Amino acid sequence: MINADTSIFESLESNVRGYCRNWPTVFTKAKGSWLRDEAGNDYLDFFAGAGALNYGHNNDVLKQPLLDYIAGDGITHGLDMSTTAKRELLTTLRDTLFAPRGLDYKVQFPGPTGANAVEAALKLARKITGRETIVSFTNAFHGMTLGALSVTGNAAKRAGAGVPLVHAAHMPYDGYFDGTTADFQWMEKVLDDTSSGFDRPAAVIVETVQGEGGVNVARAEWLRHLAGLCEAREILLIVDDVQMGCGRTGPFFSFELAGITPDIVTLSKSIGGYGLPMALVLFKSELDQWSPGEHNGTFRGNNPAFVTASVALRHYWSDGALQDSTLAKGERVARTLGELADNIPGLSTRGRGLVQGVVFDDASQAGKVCQVAFERGLLVETSGSTDEVVKLLPPLTVTDQELDHGLGILTGAIDTVCSGMGAIA
């Protein structure tokens, strides 16, 4: 039993806090794939800052350049001023990401969070097309600000807005009907029927894998069909790669597996490399129709994050080593979880790369598994509309030994809960 002193958090911090309730300890240090609390307990991190720590905690490859930059009095707060750190980042983006993939993208620094990037993408799409509606998908999650919430599916999150969430329409995601209804049947019909009452949208926004929505994986052919549908009807395609980008599914961009080129891409979380706040919006050069200052933000120039982002891109994305490693580790996780599901009724699995999920028919068991796993030294969280999925997001730099150790804890926790010996509800 953990007896951490959490009184100051309980007495002074808002009730809105969340993760600390599931992991009731006080963390003090972190390195690689591990965190340590002030009592000296170590926890293997299969949460990775909700995907913001793809390269692990305090990665030495990134830490020393960051320390050198700070020690040399490099710019910290730069708004959208030109700095050497930003120049290096833009050059690195061009040379390591865009040129090898034939991408003609402009780069916007919208602010430090994924929601900032999504809001900017929606505004830009509406500005370019002169249309208002944005199409999103069932179980989607795009952020907690009003525009991002309007294209989010989860009812509980939407309810927090306190006002009507308008100018958005929701369509079925891949697999929503379990194969009983042809993909895009409804969407294509209402778009092409002049009497449907459905106005042509400015854009469609989609996650190639829905993380918060329950590790729902869109097939490559579904994504290609969606891209073709949008192109034929002059609808902009936005891929939200905030959590699934930066190599989470294998390739740097999650849409690469489908062979599509979105009009607009949103990035955040691990794009900063070190866990420092940073977000980008990428869009085809002909879409750069912003007027100066038309979308801005005080903290869009977090130069220390530019430094670590540049180092991460050069070190991890100048060749295919990390991509290959992530795909191999993902197969390792999927194989272990698949064997587990084959032997325990009421379990199934899904995922891609190093985002993997265990789905429980009895949704209450997922939270119990996470609780038991925490007590045994593993951090995992739930996702899905009823928190029915245990979602695994280990750092991409996790070692095979750490991966096996974490999977051992997880499978043991699942065995405990599903045998009726788990945590009390």
Side-chain angles (χ1 to χ4, degrees):
M1 178 66 67
I2 297 169
N3 294 307
D5 180 7
T6 59
S7 57
I8 187 64
F9 309 106
E10 293 162 4
S11 65
L12 197 58
E13 190 178 1
S14 167
N15 285 331
V16 77
R17 67 193 188 279
Y19 294 117
C20 58
R21 300 178 189 275
N22 298 324
W23 302 325
T25 190
V26 180
F27 296 103
T28 181
K29 296 182 69 174
K31 186 68 177 176
S33 300
W34 295 86
L35 290 99
R36 176 170 291 180
D37 68 15
E38 59 186 358
N41 300 305
D42 291 323
Y43 301 85
L44 186 56
D45 187 2
F46 276 20
F47 175 65
L53 295 165
N54 282 5
Y55 312 110
H57 296 271
N58 290 305
N59 186 313
D60 289 330
V61 171
L62 312 177
K63 185 199 295 186
Q64 194 57 53
L66 175 61
L67 292 174
D68 292 344
Y69 182 78
I70 294 171
D73 291 332
I75 300 293
T76 295
H77 179 272
L79 293 164
D80 67 356
M81 295 182 291
S82 298
T83 65
T84 55
K86 183 191 284 189
R87 180 169 59 197
E88 178 65 19
L89 175 58
L90 290 170
T91 302
T92 304
L93 286 167
R94 182 192 64 195
D95 295 345
T96 63
L97 294 186
F98 300 166
R101 294 164 177 79
L103 298 173
D104 180 24
Y105 281 153
K106 287 292 191 75
V107 181
Q108 179 182 356
F109 298 85
T113 71
N116 289 142
V118 168
E119 294 285 354
L122 302 185
K123 285 172 63 175
L124 182 61
R126 287 170 171 141
K127 174 181 174 64
I128 289 167
T129 64
R131 305 178 214 132
E132 295 178 349
T133 302
I134 307 292
V135 169
S136 60
F137 293 93
T138 50
N139 290 309
F141 178 76
H142 296 288
M144 299 295 277
T145 50
L146 289 181
L149 274 178
S150 73
V151 291
T152 288
N154 186 277
K157 292 180 173 65
R158 290 172 61 85
V163 297
L165 297 171
V166 296
H167 308 309
H170 303 273
M171 292 292 173
Y173 192 73
D174 190 15
Y176 187 73
F177 292 112
D178 296 324
T180 59
T181 300
D183 289 317
F184 299 112
Q185 179 180 349
W186 170 250
M187 186 173 178
E188 290 178 331
K189 181 70 173 177
V190 297
L191 282 172
D192 296 340
D193 182 358
T194 57
S195 293
S196 68
F198 188 86
D199 296 327
R200 185 163 53 135
V204 170
I205 186 168
V206 66
E207 304 155 274
T208 66
V209 180
Q210 295 179 326
E212 289 296 313
V215 195
N216 305 309
V217 182
R219 294 166 296 146
E221 55 266 34
W222 188 88
L223 292 167
R224 286 192 290 269
H225 191 151
L226 177 62
L229 181 155
C230 290
E231 183 177 14
R233 292 161 180 82
E234 297 183 329
I235 301 167
L236 296 175
L237 177 61
I238 304 169
V239 168
D240 181 342
D241 239 359
V242 167
Q243 187 170 82
M244 296 304 152
C246 302
R248 176 55 57 181
T249 66
F252 185 86
F253 295 108
S254 70
F255 55 81
E256 292 183 61
L257 290 166
I260 63 174
T261 303
D263 298 294
I264 303 174
V265 181
T266 60
L267 292 172
S268 186
K269 292 191 183 286
S270 281
I271 188 60
Y274 201 74
L276 299 174
M278 176 179 161
L280 301 176
V281 185
L282 315 177
F283 40 82
K284 293 179 178 178
S285 59
E286 65 268 23
L287 302 181
D288 190 15
Q289 298 181 25
W290 290 117
S291 300
E294 192 172 5
H295 185 91
N296 54 37
T298 302
F299 291 101
R300 65 194 186 277
N302 184 3
N303 281 250
F306 299 168
V307 171
T308 51
S310 298
V311 176
L313 290 170
R314 290 196 306 270
H315 184 84
Y316 290 107
W317 296 103
S318 293
D319 58 31
L322 184 62
Q323 173 177 318
D324 293 343
S325 170
T326 298
L327 292 173
K329 290 171 184 174
E331 291 174 2
R332 189 187 194 107
V333 175
R335 184 168 56 251
T336 299
L337 297 182
E339 291 171 355
L340 187 68
D342 289 341
N343 292 298
I344 299 180
L347 259 65
S348 59
T349 65
R350 54 187 181 232
R352 175 178 289 158
L354 276 177
V355 52
Q356 298 285 334
V358 184
V359 188
F360 292 79
D361 288 352
D362 178 354
S364 69
Q365 292 183 322
K368 295 175 184 177
V369 166
C370 292
Q371 181 181 341
V372 173
F374 169 72
E375 292 168 356
R376 298 177 182 180
L378 178 70
L379 303 184
V380 285
E381 67 159 344
T382 60
S383 68
S385 57
T386 58
D387 287 323
E388 76 280 12
V389 180
V390 174
K391 180 173 69 172
L392 280 67
L393 288 172
L396 307 185
T397 52
V398 66
T399 67
D400 288 341
Q401 292 77 15
E402 290 168 338
L403 203 56
D404 289 344
H405 178 65
L407 289 172
I409 295 175
L410 180 63
T411 55
I414 291 172
D415 284 337
T416 297
V417 170
C418 291
S419 67
M421 301 172 357
I424 298 174

